[in-house]
Amino acid sequence: MKLAVVAPPAPPAPTTRRRPHPLDLVAVVLAVVGAACALSGLLPRAETTATLHRILPLLLFLGTVIVLAELTAVAGVFDVLASRLAIASRGKWALLFLLCGGLATLTTLLLNLDTTAVLLTPVLLALARNLRIPAAPLAVTTVWLANTASLLLPVSNLTNLLAADRVGLAPLAYAARMALPQLAAVAVTMALLWFGWWRRERPAGGRFVPPTRHVPADPVLHRTALAGCLIFVAGILAGVEIEIASTVGLALVLVGFLVRSPATLRPGLVPVRLLFFVTGLFLVVQTLGRHGLDDLVGTLVGADGGALGALRAGGTGALLANAVNNLPAYLAGESVLPTGDHTRLLALLIGTNVGPLAAPWASLATLLWFERCRAAGVAVPLTRFVLTSTLLAGTGTLGAVGALLLVS
């Protein structure tokens, strides 16, 4: 009788501990410090309550619109758009530049700058790989336009929501006031993108081989996600509260995924890190404002009116955004401007939207973009990026504030 030889059990596979993302640590630290400011009395209870009441609709909007955008990407909407843009360019480098810039502008305007940074960046990087063209021009296109194209609608940027509430403008009235500044900012951005990045990286003869048309894996989910985005945009244009519009659009998409792909729905879709980041940031900035930051910002902004006052407000916004971050820069500037000084308030907004490009930490969208590029293995030349971004921050802010003065 033969005895079976039983192999010893394999040793358990070593478990790897997931290292927290740097932005996770920043969000947690901000949330803890913000809570400490509120609980310790450094930020009085009344101001804490007012701050939280003000940002709750923003948090609901931010959470729902990011999940909406994530599911829209899973459904293939962005991939379809990118491939159709490449096909529409007919292999022409200059036309591809215009179409990619237009798509980045559109997603920023309608779905907000973080959507462009988080979701459109990997789409355009994948497009660059498929077309075998340099990735840096497409990458820089997303981060630049994520910031500079975020002026037109309240939903395009969290700072816009705060400014629109402060000046008491409905979405369409706000868009009418910011249309010319937005056009100026995008025009400056596109010019610098072409001469600083696209023209010098164009392939021989300025042509490339266009890809085949991308077909979504699930056409029903694709159409459902597209319908959810259109409902969201229509709600905004109709004057519906932004958090309600985004929630309704997301609800439709969630139903589609529950029926067609329930496994896609997971808790990780909720941008918990971003929500902690924003909440903590608001509380910390409010506290710093009470303890000296408002005085410093007031000195920088000054009391000048007219064109000089607007340019000074815009420059201060851009400077503070690159020194710290655009959200606290806007909040600090807003706190020292008179309630009825709409022109300087909107000039400050321009500086904090168009200006946060010279430093990686200047906006959350820029931070997220850096992480997406690193995850995709794309190295953007840092020196050229910083130099050209600084130039854009200055010229874009100046051009947009000048346009604001023309319509004020």
Side-chain angles (χ1 to χ4, degrees), residues 43 92 103 107 183 242 276 281 316 365 392:
L43 185 64
K92 298 179 181 178
L103 178 59
T107 56
L183 181 62
I242 56 166
F276 275 125
L281 192 62
T316 298
L392 174 59

Side-chain angles (χ1 to χ4, degrees), residues 135-145 193 197-198 369 380 385 388-389:
L138 282 79
V140 175
T141 297
T142 58
V143 70
W144 277 12
L145 286 167
L193 274 172
W197 292 91
W198 283 75
W369 172 82
V380 176
F385 176 77
T388 54
S389 295

Side-chain angles (χ1 to χ4, degrees), residues 151-154 163-164 167-183 310 340-347 349-350 400-408:
L151 286 172
L152 184 65
L153 296 174
V167 300
L169 291 176
L172 290 180
Y174 173 89
R177 185 77 183 271
M178 298 301 284
L180 191 59
Q182 180 63 93
L183 181 62
D341 196 345
H342 294 172
T343 298
R344 283 204 297 165
L345 180 71
L346 294 178
L349 177 70
I350 288 171
V401 171
L404 175 69
L405 290 170
L406 292 177
V407 298
S408 295

Side-chain angles (χ1 to χ4, degrees), residues 219-296:
V220 174
L221 270 183
H222 174 264
R223 289 193 291 269
T224 302
L226 183 60
C229 291
L230 293 176
I231 288 173
F232 166 61
V233 173
I236 294 300
L237 296 178
V240 177
E241 296 291 333
I242 56 166
E243 66 274 15
I244 296 176
S246 59
T247 301
V248 171
L250 175 60
L252 173 63
V253 178
L254 285 175
V255 170
F257 272 87
L258 282 171
V259 174
R260 306 287 296 186
S261 181
T264 304
L265 303 177
R266 61 191 191 281
L269 290 172
V270 180
V272 176
R273 177 179 68 196
L274 191 58
L275 300 180
F276 275 125
F277 180 93
V278 172
T279 304
L281 192 62
F282 271 74
L283 293 174
V284 170
V285 169
Q286 288 292 100
T287 304
L288 291 176
R290 289 184 55 86
H291 298 277
L293 181 60
D294 287 354
D295 295 334
L296 172 62

Side-chain angles (χ1 to χ4, degrees), residues 36 40 42 72 83 153 161 198 208 270 278 306 315 362 392-393:
S40 67
L42 285 173
T72 299
S83 68
L153 296 174
L161 298 174
W198 283 75
F208 61 91
V270 180
V278 172
L392 174 59

Side-chain angles (χ1 to χ4, degrees), residues 16-391:
T16 57
R17 296 179 62 184
R18 179 182 176 271
R19 297 181 62 184
H21 192 283
L23 289 180
D24 292 332
L25 298 177
V26 172
V28 170
V29 169
L30 274 176
V32 170
V33 173
C37 291
L39 295 174
S40 67
L42 285 173
L43 185 64
R45 179 174 297 180
E47 290 190 30
T48 300
T49 302
T51 299
L52 292 176
H53 184 267
R54 185 181 190 188
I55 67 173
L56 277 176
L58 305 183
L59 295 176
L60 177 59
F61 160 71
L62 191 59
T64 52
V65 81
I66 291 295
V67 176
L68 172 63
E70 289 277 4
L71 294 177
T72 299
V74 172
V77 173
F78 290 114
D79 290 319
V80 169
L81 287 173
S83 68
R84 289 186 179 180
L85 285 179
I87 294 170
S89 66
R90 301 190 300 276
K92 298 179 181 178
W93 185 246
L95 186 53
L96 180 68
F97 159 70
L98 292 174
L99 293 175
C100 286
L103 178 59
T105 299
L106 189 64
T107 56
T108 301
L109 291 177
L110 300 181
L111 292 176
N112 86 24
L113 74 167
D114 296 320
T115 296
T116 300
V118 172
L119 299 177
L120 189 59
T121 298
V123 169
L124 293 190
L125 292 180
L127 180 62
R129 286 193 300 271
N130 293 337
L131 298 180
R132 298 182 180 179
I133 58 177
L138 282 79
V140 175
T141 297
T142 58
V143 70
W144 277 12
L145 286 167
N147 287 282
T148 64
S150 65
L151 286 172
L152 184 65
L153 296 174
V155 300
S156 307
N157 199 323
L158 282 178
T159 51
N160 298 1
L161 298 174
L162 301 173
D165 178 64
R166 178 74 177 270
V167 300
L169 291 176
L172 290 180
Y174 173 89
R177 185 77 183 271
M178 298 301 284
L180 191 59
Q182 180 63 93
L183 181 62
V186 170
V188 172
T189 304
M190 293 294 284
L192 288 177
L193 274 172
W194 176 253
F195 289 106
W197 292 91
W198 283 75
R199 190 176 71 165
R200 62 186 297 171
E201 301 284 0
R202 61 183 172 183
R207 301 191 65 86
F208 61 91
V209 179
T212 58
R213 180 176 176 177
H214 178 83
V215 178
D218 189 329
V220 174
L221 270 183
H222 174 264
R223 289 193 291 269
T224 302
L226 183 60
C229 291
L230 293 176
I231 288 173
F232 166 61
V233 173
I236 294 300
L237 296 178
V240 177
E241 296 291 333
I242 56 166
E243 66 274 15
I244 296 176
S246 59
T247 301
V248 171
L250 175 60
L252 173 63
V253 178
L254 285 175
V255 170
F257 272 87
L258 282 171
V259 174
R260 306 287 296 186
S261 181
T264 304
L265 303 177
R266 61 191 191 281
L269 290 172
V270 180
V272 176
R273 177 179 68 196
L274 191 58
L275 300 180
F276 275 125
F277 180 93
V278 172
T279 304
L281 192 62
F282 271 74
L283 293 174
V284 170
V285 169
Q286 288 292 100
T287 304
L288 291 176
R290 289 184 55 86
H291 298 277
L293 181 60
D294 287 354
D295 295 334
L296 172 62
V297 176
T299 301
L300 292 174
V301 171
D304 299 311
L308 179 59
L311 290 171
R312 192 166 174 175
T316 298
L319 178 65
L320 288 177
N322 287 287
V324 283
N325 182 271
N326 66 329
L327 264 177
Y330 172 79
L331 290 172
E334 181 195 71
S335 67
V336 301
L337 287 173
T339 303
D341 196 345
H342 294 172
T343 298
R344 283 204 297 165
L345 180 71
L346 294 178
L348 170 73
L349 177 70
I350 288 171
T352 57
N353 283 21
V354 178
L357 285 166
W361 56 80
S363 75
L364 181 60
T366 306
L367 279 170
L368 295 172
W369 172 82
F370 268 108
E371 291 302 320
R372 285 300 170 112
C373 288
R374 182 159 54 186
V378 173
V380 176
L382 189 58
T383 300
R384 178 151 61 109
F385 176 77
V386 171
L387 290 176
T388 54
S389 295
T390 302
L391 178 62

